[in-house]
Amino acid sequence: MEEQQPDIAGLRQGLDEVDSGIVRLIAERRGLIEAIAKVKEQGTSAIGDPDRERRVLDGVVAEATALGVSASLVRTIFRELISDSVAQQARHLNGDGGGRVRVAFQGAAHAYSDAAARKYLAGRGLEGDLTGYRTFRAAADALLAGEADLAVLPIENTTAGSINEVYALLRSHELFIVGEETWKVDHCLAAAQEVPLSALTRILSHPQGLEQCSQFLQSLPNTTPTTYFDTAGAMQAVAQSGDPGTAAIASPEAAAAYGLVVLRHDIADADDNYTRFVVLSGQPATVDVRIPCKTSLILVTGHEEGDLLRCLEVLSGSGHSMTKLESRPRPGRPWEYMFFIDFEGNAADPRTAIALDELRAAALFVKILGSYPAKALRAPARPGDVADEAPAAAAAPRTESGAQDPTEMLEAVAAAPRPTAGRSRQYKLVDRAARQADTVIRVGDVLVGGDGFVVMAGPCSVESGEQISGTAKFVRDHGAHVLRGGVFKPRTSPYAFQGLGWDGLDLLVTAGRESGLPVVTEVMAVDQVQRMAKAADILQVGARNMQNFDLLRELGKVDRPVLLKRGLSSTIEEWLAAAEYVVAQGNQQVILCERGIRTFESATRNTLDLSAVAVIRERSHLPVIVDPSHGTGQRRYVAPMAWAARAAGAHGLLIEVHPDPDQALSDADQSLSFDQFAALMRQLAAVPGSTAAG
Ligand code: PEP
Ligand code: MN
C-alpha cells in the first residue's frame, strides 16, 4: 500500500496539469470569441448560427469518437461552451459592462435556483450577492421593494410542467423578464447516515422535487413524502435533525454542502429533467436586435369564436415562431382563460413591434413581459440524409436528366388520379386524401418522412453492453440516424433466445445516449407500452403483432412514434387499416416498415415487396421505410435491396448489423458485419437522383 501512494500522487499531479490545460484552452477559446464579437459589432449579422453550431458539434463528436471518448460527454461540454460563447457575444453587442448585482431567489443556499442564478450571472460576466427567500412571492417582493436588482425564479420544468405561482406573480405585478436560464436537474436521495432505503419513514423536498421523483417514491411504500419549502432547505433540515429515518431529495451538491450521505443517485422519473428559470427585473430590458431573442407576453382574447386563432395568426403570419403557449384561468371569471405566450422575436425589432401592435388590436388585453436573449431553444431538426463522401460513390454513374430522377417518378405516382373505386374504406385518417402533404415525424433531432432518408441500424437483439455500445458507435460514425436493438424478441421457437428484456432496454438506451442516437425497439405486449414509451424513442410493432389490435390501440395513446411492420401475410390495405388503429386513438406518428411477406418463393426468407413502397406513397401520407434484412434473410442480398428501396422512394431503411454476425444470438444469417454496413452506406450515397448529393 505504502509504495503505491507516490504513484497515485504522481498521476494526480498529471491530472491537475491536464485540468489546468483545459482551463487555459477555454480561456484561449474565449479570446477568439471576443475577437469574433468585435468583428460582428461592425456588421448586422445575427449571432448564434444554428448551422454553424451543429457543424461545430458534429466535428468535435467525430473527433471524440475517433479517440474513444463518449459522444454525449463531449456534446454536453460543447453545448455549454457554445452557449457561453453566444452569451459572451451578446454581452458585447449589448454593451453589458459586468458589475455587481443583488439577486433574490427562492430557497436555501445550494438550491437549484441558486445554481441557476449563478450560471446566469457567470454567462453575463456579472458578480452577484445572492439571497434566498422562503417563497417565490417573498423573492419577488424583495425585487419590487428595491432590495434586489434581479430575481431568478423557476417557470417550468420539463417533467412537472409550469409553475403556476410564478405565472400568477408575473400576471399581477410590475415584473419584467430580462433573461432566462436552464438548469439540468439531477435529483438524489440523501440522509444523515448510510441507511437501507427500507429504514426510511419520511422524505422531505420541495413539492416540485417530490413530483419529479414520483415513480421512485412509489417504490418506497413505507415512507411519507413530506413537502418542504425548498430542496436544499430539506437537506439542511435532515442534517440538523440527524434523524436516520428521514431523507431529502435535492442536488448532490446540496447533499455535499450539508454533509449528507447520498443513498441513491438519479432518482427523477425522466432522465432529461430540465428547469427553465426566468430572470426578473423591475424594468424591461432593451436587447440588441442581432441577439436571438424570445418575447413573452400575457394575452386575453375576445370571446368570439376564432379570437385566439386570429391572435396566433398575427404571430405566425409575421414569421414569429411560437415556443410556448400556456393557458391559465382568469381569476374571478369562471371558464375564461388568459394565455401566456413565448415566441422568437425582439420587441426592439421593427418587424416584431408591428406584430405586437397588431396583436394589441386583435386582443382584449396584452401585457408584454419582456424581450430577452433566448437560452432554452429546441435543437433544429434536419431531414435524415446519407452523406456522399466515398470516392467510389462519386465515381458511380449519376443521372443527368430529370426524366430518370426517381423523385419525379414518385411525384407522378402521388399526383396520379387515385383509384377510389374498388378500394376498401377501412381507413380514412392515414389515407392520402386526408392529408396531401407527407407526414414528417421528429425522432431526436432527425426528421422521418418527406424528403429525408433515415437509416436505422443495429443488431437484431441486444446481447451485451459491449455489443450494443460498440455497434452504436460504429453505425453512428458511418451515418446511421437511429439505433435499433430488440430486447423482447418474438421468436418462432420458445427455446430460442428471447431477448434480455428490461435489462436489455437499459443497455440500449445507454448506448443510444453515449452515441447520441435515438433508439427503436420492439414492444410485444400491451402492458409494456407505457414503460417502454418512457425510455425508447420509437416503439416497433413486429410483423407478428401487426394485427394485435389491443396493442395498436394502446400505442395510439402514447406520445411516441410507432414503427409498424407489415404482417407476414398482410395485404397493404390491412397494413394501412392497422396503422389507422394507432392514429384513430390520437397518435399520428406512425412509420410503416415493409419487411417482406410470405409467398411460395423459398429462395429468400421472405419476399421483399418493394412495390409496396410506391403503393403506400400513393395511398397514404405516412412515411414508409424498408427492412431488407428480414425481407431477404441473407446478408448478401441486403445491400442491393437497400439500394433499390432508396431508388423506389422509401423514406429510410431498417438494417441489422452485428459486430460478429456469425455469432449473433438471433438472425445471424441476415446480419451485416461492420465492414459490410460501411460499404452499404457508401453505396447508398450513389443512388441516382437521391437527395444524398452535396
Ligand atoms: C426485428 O426487427 O427484429 C423483427 C423481429 O422483425 P419482424 O417483426 O419484421 O420479423
Ligand atoms: Mn431480427
Side-chain angles (χ1 to χ4, degrees), residues 427-508:
Y427 53 87
K428 46 185 191 214
L429 298 171
V430 306
D431 196 309
R432 180 65 88 178
R435 194 188 276 184
Q436 276 305 313
D438 285 349
T439 287
V440 177
I441 296 167
R442 184 178 171 129
V443 179
D445 58 6
V446 168
L447 301 174
V448 185
D451 295 333
F453 189 79
V454 170
V455 177
M456 308 186 187
C460 177
S461 303
V462 174
E463 298 170 8
S464 69
E466 199 187 343
Q467 172 239 23
I468 191 66
S469 291
T471 310
K473 289 196 184 73
F474 188 87
V475 298
R476 194 269 324 278
D477 288 345
H478 290 79
H481 307 93
V482 178
L483 175 66
R484 70 149 281 154
V487 300
F488 292 104
K489 297 301 301 176
R491 304 305 302 281
T492 303
S493 162
Y495 307 117
F497 174 60
Q498 304 287 311
L500 297 182
W502 297 114
D503 291 342
L505 183 63
D506 288 344
L507 297 176
L508 177 69

Side-chain angles (χ1 to χ4, degrees), residues 460 484 489-490 522 540-544 565-566 568 595 605 627 630 654 656 667:
C460 177
R484 70 149 281 154
K489 297 301 301 176
E522 178 165 351
Q540 173 175 331
V541 177
R544 291 153 193 83
K565 287 200 151 190
R566 180 173 178 185
L568 300 170
R595 48 80 70 206
R605 179 179 177 185
D627 172 356
H630 293 87
L654 183 69
E656 287 186 345
D667 288 347

Side-chain angles (χ1 to χ4, degrees), residues 152-333:
V152 175
L153 298 181
I155 187 97
E156 63 177 315
N157 173 268
T158 53
T159 314
S162 290
I163 296 159
N164 296 340
E165 217 185 311
V166 175
Y167 273 110
L169 286 169
L170 286 173
R171 192 196 70 230
S172 52
H173 293 83
E174 278 291 286
L175 295 169
F176 297 93
I177 305 180
V178 297
E180 66 175 351
E181 192 51 85
T182 55
W183 187 261
K184 189 167 194 304
V185 177
D186 173 18
H187 289 310
C188 74
L189 182 74
Q193 49 192 267
E194 187 74 56
V195 285
L197 295 189
S198 56
L200 296 175
T201 53
R202 219 156 60 102
I203 294 181
L204 307 182
S205 193
H206 188 273
Q208 284 277 328
L210 297 174
E211 192 172 334
Q212 292 162 26
C213 302
S214 60
Q215 282 170 24
F216 173 75
L217 290 172
Q218 275 161 26
S219 73
L220 302 174
N222 300 327
T223 59
T224 316
T226 310
T227 58
Y228 207 74
F229 80 98
D230 168 50
T231 53
M235 291 273 177
Q236 194 176 22
V238 169
Q240 279 162 3
S241 81
D243 170 12
T246 304
I249 294 175
S251 65
E253 290 78 18
Y258 295 109
L260 299 184
V261 181
V262 175
L263 303 178
R264 275 281 187 296
H265 277 285
D266 292 330
I267 58 169
D269 297 352
D271 275 335
D272 281 321
N273 186 17
Y274 289 87
T275 298
R276 179 178 159 239
F277 293 82
V278 283
V279 182
L280 304 179
S281 159
Q283 308 294 328
T286 307
V287 184
D288 189 291
V289 293
R290 287 166 293 181
I291 299 171
C293 269
K294 271 194 212 166
T295 296
S296 296
L297 54 86
I298 303 177
L299 179 81
V300 177
T301 64
H303 311 295
E304 300 299 320
E305 210 176 291
D307 278 350
L308 174 62
L309 188 62
R310 263 188 292 284
C311 289
L312 299 183
E313 271 167 3
V314 168
L315 291 178
S316 67
S318 53
H320 291 91
S321 114
M322 203 162 63
T323 56
K324 180 159 191 196
L325 170 64
E326 171 89 23
S327 78
R328 316 260 7 121
R330 286 180 76 185
R333 310 288 290 261

